[in-house]
Amino acid sequence: MRIIDAHHHIWDPSANPHPWLTGPPIPFRYGAYEALRKPFLWADYDRVAEGWDVAASVTMEGEWDPGDPLGESTWLNGLPRRPQAHAAQAWLDAPDVDAVLAAHGADPLVRSVRHKPRSNFAPGGGAGGMTAPAFIAGFKRLAVHGLMFELQTPWWHLDEAVRLAAHAPDVPIVLNHAGLPSDRSADGLAGWRAAMQRFAAVPRAIVKISGLGLVGGGWDPDTNRIVIRQTIEMFGPERCMFASNYPVDSLCASFDTIWRGFDEATADLGADARAWLFHRTAATVYNIDMEAC
């Protein structure tokens, strides 16, 4: 099975400004992350992915200095090797959002942008950042510049995403990390599933099945299989794609463990469904020519 890794990072904090990797530690969903504070370049990616037929990949912004939202994509474009697509940094509520989105839209590497909206650490904590008028206004500008929106938010804010989508129905929303189902209790999974079902009703909603590690590390094949199969059931294979989230998820599991987990969780699905999950959805969403890879 050829795969497209639909979400991973390439970074070099020894040379570039990634405040969370070079400055004081920040609260992080996997806990301590000192192991990430080092370069992860293409040679490192190839080393961890050895044995897998990675035909193409999509890099995700790595929280570069927020004062320079164009810097990371410029750096990636200057490397001897580039990804097939990139999700760039943009701040939808910034005064210069139009200029930034125009620059990203003109970059043939960039397909989408990510702005992590403000979120609460638990359900019932109040509104998140997608309700802010400036955020909504910036989101609506994505359609003008032909860009998709990468959404990383916990599932209890997905109803905000449903309302956000109505402001610009032509903008695809790519949900990162399956809505972050970190609570694997029966109640936690029930809340996640209900929110995901409502979000799945958005016509241009797509989901990355990735980032399934648990708080404090660990990659649980049993509950991850539940998340994987229920996500596919809700969205259909044509709107789901697998991704490693490396090197971040190296805190939880090896690249091989993650992709074998995807493989084993879908082994009983047909070849066509698995083709969508492992590469065809990502190729369609990010406009990647598999024959050219």
Side-chain angles (χ1 to χ4, degrees):
M1 175 72 73
R2 301 183 80 199
I3 67 174
I4 293 179
D5 189 350
H7 187 118
H8 73 91
H9 304 278
I10 295 293
W11 59 46
D12 184 1
S14 68
N16 295 322
H18 295 271
W20 75 291
L21 295 173
T22 58
I26 63 171
F28 191 64
R29 65 191 181 98
Y30 288 153
Y33 63 91
E34 285 80 3
L36 302 180
R37 292 173 172 260
K38 60 184 179 181
F40 187 79
L41 299 169
W42 285 112
D44 303 297
Y45 183 86
D46 290 342
R47 173 179 49 80
V48 300
E50 185 176 2
W52 289 89
D53 186 4
V54 182
S57 72
V58 179
T59 50
M60 172 57 64
E61 64 92 15
E63 301 193 28
W64 187 281
D65 175 8
D68 181 20
L70 302 178
E72 187 171 32
S73 52
T74 299
W75 174 73
L76 281 169
N77 271 303
L79 295 178
R81 171 178 164 187
R82 299 188 302 168
Q84 281 66 41
H86 178 60
Q89 181 190 104
W91 301 100
L92 299 183
D93 54 2
D96 63 347
V97 62
D98 245 339
V100 170
L101 295 181
H104 284 322
D107 185 337
L109 187 65
V110 175
R111 305 287 196 278
S112 56
V113 300
R114 183 167 75 168
H115 172 167
K116 294 180 183 178
R118 184 185 72 254
S119 63
N120 299 303
F121 290 106
M130 286 179 277
T131 62
F135 192 100
I136 294 169
F139 174 79
K140 292 164 68 174
R141 300 302 296 168
L142 292 170
V144 175
H145 300 288
L147 293 165
M148 300 182 293
F149 181 54
E150 304 274 341
L151 172 61
Q152 182 164 327
T153 194
W155 56 263
W156 50 86
H157 288 309
L158 286 179
D159 286 336
E160 291 181 25
V162 172
R163 294 190 291 271
L164 180 70
H167 289 283
D170 292 336
V171 175
I173 299 179
V174 183
L175 179 63
N176 295 179
H177 308 328
L180 300 170
S182 57
D183 179 358
R184 302 296 172 82
S185 68
D187 287 345
L189 286 172
W192 164 80
R193 180 179 174 86
M196 288 285 280
Q197 285 178 319
R198 294 190 292 272
F199 181 66
V202 174
R204 305 207 69 180
I206 305 142
V207 61
K208 291 178 180 177
I209 303 177
S210 57
L212 301 183
L214 300 174
V215 176
W219 208 92
D220 180 57
D222 294 328
T223 59
N224 282 350
R225 186 183 190 281
I226 293 171
V227 169
I228 291 166
R229 292 303 292 258
Q230 291 191 357
T231 301
I232 295 168
E233 176 187 330
M234 289 183 277
F235 287 81
E238 298 85 356
R239 292 197 291 159
C240 296
M241 50 186 141
F242 290 139
S244 72
N245 193 33
Y246 247 63
V248 174
D249 273 37
S250 66
L251 298 174
C252 307
S254 69
F255 190 97
D256 187 71
T257 295
I258 291 168
W259 284 94
R260 283 188 185 278
F262 295 151
D263 187 26
E264 292 168 2
T266 58
D268 61 328
L269 298 181
D272 187 63
R274 279 166 54 86
W276 281 104
L277 295 163
F278 281 89
H279 62 79
R280 196 178 294 161
T281 299
T284 301
V285 170
Y286 289 103
N287 192 25
I288 296 171
D289 183 357
M290 287 288 286
E291 293 185 3
C293 297

